[in-house]
Amino acid sequence: MARETTEQRGLGKDWTAEKYIETAIKEIKAQVGDGKVLLALSGGVDSSVVAALLIKAIGKQLYCVHVNHGLLRKGEPEQVVQVFKHQMDANLIYVDATERFLTKLAGVSDPEQKRKIIGKEFIDVFADEAKKLDGIKFLAQGTIYPDITESKGVKAHHNVGGLPKELDFELVEPVKMLYKDEVRAVGKALGLPDTMVYRQPFPGPGLGVRCIGAITRDRLEAVRESDAILREEFAKGGLEGKVWQYFTIVPDVKSTGIIDGKRSWDWPVIIRAVNSTDATAATIEEIPYPLLHRITDRILSEVKGVNRVLYDLSPKPISTIEWE
Ligand code: XMP
């Protein structure tokens, strides 16, 4: 779908992030008055920018809930707390729901079933927190323009359903007329860190769909640790922000290896690094061999339970970007 100009979207001809922020703040204040607003803050670009905008507009009238489902990347929940609670002084409710999610997911191997459980559990945890708060009138959401105009976008994957009827809040959607790059520009102008503003796409069900089949804690840790190494080495190698999406996968398969003269029976880590514009098609990033070797060496020596590293060369189509 062709991109609409800022004029066509009713934002005027000379759009700048700074002017947009001023107008958005006025509009938010006019809409919510002295009412309380609730936001599910995942740490993704859209919800983070909405949080930063609302903190600037209404400060402590905003209540952010960050649900850690135990499937986030290494360091992510800590960054949300650091940025929003410590730097921006927001009302941030941090919920570590790892046990609740992993218990519900135990033994479940079907990918759609896993997504449904994660989506439903997320709503339940968020609703539980919302019920504890008194007098909430509004729900803020990081809806962006492509969510409205396209049915195929990344968020079409969201399987989360809606909040229960008794939590029927009025919506506040301050970035709904913006494309992603404009949302990022607003985030940057609001002072959010680059690692948040230029974050690669990350699926709602998180590392859960990269720990193939039934999720186990040890294999999930292998996904999280190998992903952290991959991201660190991509950043050092100057690929951060250049490659559209990159991550690791740990399938529920074992192969033989040898360590200290003894036979091992461990998992492989699969590296995926793709380029795309809208996730409907993707090509493979040509990672330099020395970098691939470095990542492989580090994963093999630092990640527990892993004895093999593979690089996935399959484009979309025929493969999808995620493995499930
Ligand atoms: P696929 O695997 O379908 O992925 O080629 C396309 C893009 O969508 C992301 N993705 C998801 N995002 N919830 C999300 O929010 C999901 O369940 C989900 N599944 C895939 C994927 O990371 C890629 O960017």
Side-chain angles (χ1 to χ4, degrees):
M1 202 178 285
R3 184 178 169 118
E4 292 177 35
T5 63
T6 48
E7 245 183 326
Q8 284 169 322
R9 283 173 284 145
L11 302 172
K13 213 162 56 181
D14 309 311
W15 188 91
T16 65
E18 288 73 15
K19 278 196 288 180
Y20 185 80
I21 292 168
E22 266 176 49
T23 314
I25 287 173
K26 281 190 204 135
E27 286 174 1
I28 292 164
K29 283 184 169 160
Q31 185 187 358
V32 309
D34 60 3
K36 290 182 187 168
V37 183
L38 185 64
L39 169 73
L41 175 59
S42 67
V45 180
D46 306 334
S47 67
S48 296
V49 172
V50 167
L53 252 181
L54 283 159
I55 290 164
K56 192 143 193 202
I58 56 168
K60 294 263 161 120
Q61 283 166 251
L62 175 71
Y63 292 80
C64 304
V65 178
H66 179 59
V67 177
N68 178 0
H69 51 23
L71 306 167
L72 296 170
R73 289 176 293 192
K74 193 172 180 175
E76 267 181 339
E78 292 82 0
Q79 188 186 36
V80 169
V81 172
Q82 175 61 27
V83 169
F84 292 100
K85 198 177 181 98
H86 301 314
Q87 289 171 22
M88 296 196 171
D89 195 27
N91 270 325
L92 175 72
I93 300 153
Y94 170 71
V95 190
D96 184 354
T98 304
E99 287 305 315
R100 192 167 157 169
F101 277 82
L102 293 188
T103 304
K104 281 268 158 64
L105 286 164
V108 181
S109 57
D110 177 68
E112 288 316 306
Q113 196 56 29
K114 283 165 72 179
R115 279 190 171 77
K116 282 210 180 93
I117 291 172
I118 296 166
K120 179 181 177 300
E121 211 50 30
F122 186 88
I123 292 287
D124 288 354
V125 173
F126 185 67
D128 286 353
E129 291 307 313
K131 284 177 201 155
K132 289 184 204 158
L133 296 166
D134 262 350
I136 300 282
K137 270 174 105 179
F138 301 92
L139 179 73
Q141 279 187 348
T143 314
I144 69 171
Y145 201 55
D147 297 332
I148 303 170
T149 55
E150 292 168 18
S151 56
K152 272 204 205 144
V154 170
K155 282 194 186 155
H157 284 282
H158 283 196
N159 243 329
V160 290
L163 280 172
K165 279 227 163 51
E166 70 265 30
L167 299 175
D168 189 16
F169 305 120
E170 183 181 325
L171 291 183
V172 181
E173 298 178 301
V175 297
K176 76 168 180 208
M177 296 313 287
L178 304 184
Y179 287 104
K180 197 80 175 192
D181 57 305
E182 295 162 336
V183 176
R184 291 192 212 274
V186 169
K188 183 114 182 99
L190 286 165
L192 288 176
D194 281 1
T195 46
M196 221 168 223
V197 170
Y198 298 106
R199 221 172 79 131
Q200 50 168 319
F202 186 62
L207 303 181
V209 293
R210 298 172 182 171
C211 185
I212 307 306
I215 298 170
T216 57
R217 285 163 206 256
D218 43 8
R219 216 151 42 79
L220 181 61
E221 264 329 284
V223 179
R224 196 178 340 257
E225 290 302 321
S226 56
D227 171 80
I229 292 171
L230 182 75
R231 285 190 289 135
E232 205 182 304
E233 291 300 328
F234 264 44
K236 277 196 219 153
L239 291 177
E240 190 182 45
K242 293 205 176 114
V243 182
W244 196 72
Q245 198 173 12
Y246 46 97
F247 53 89
T248 59
I249 300 120
V250 180
D252 193 5
V253 169
K254 287 189 170 179
S255 73
T256 51
I258 179 141
I259 186 155
D260 298 333
K262 279 200 211 111
R263 189 177 173 280
S264 69
W265 181 237
D266 281 322
W267 304 298
V269 162
I270 296 153
I271 298 172
R272 191 110 173 96
V274 299
N275 287 307
S276 177
T277 46
D278 61 2
T280 55
T283 56
I284 299 309
E285 172 69 18
E286 304 220 342
I287 308 179
Y289 259 80
L291 180 58
L292 267 180
H293 279 298
R294 211 160 36 247
I295 294 166
T296 302
D297 288 346
R298 280 198 61 193
I299 291 175
L300 290 179
S301 67
E302 293 173 39
V303 183
K304 240 176 117 193
V306 170
N307 65 0
R308 207 174 278 277
V309 177
L310 311 170
Y311 187 43
D312 181 353
L313 287 172
S314 327
K316 176 177 182 177
I318 285 177
S319 305
T320 50
I321 295 174
E322 302 288 347
W323 266 50
E324 66 171 35

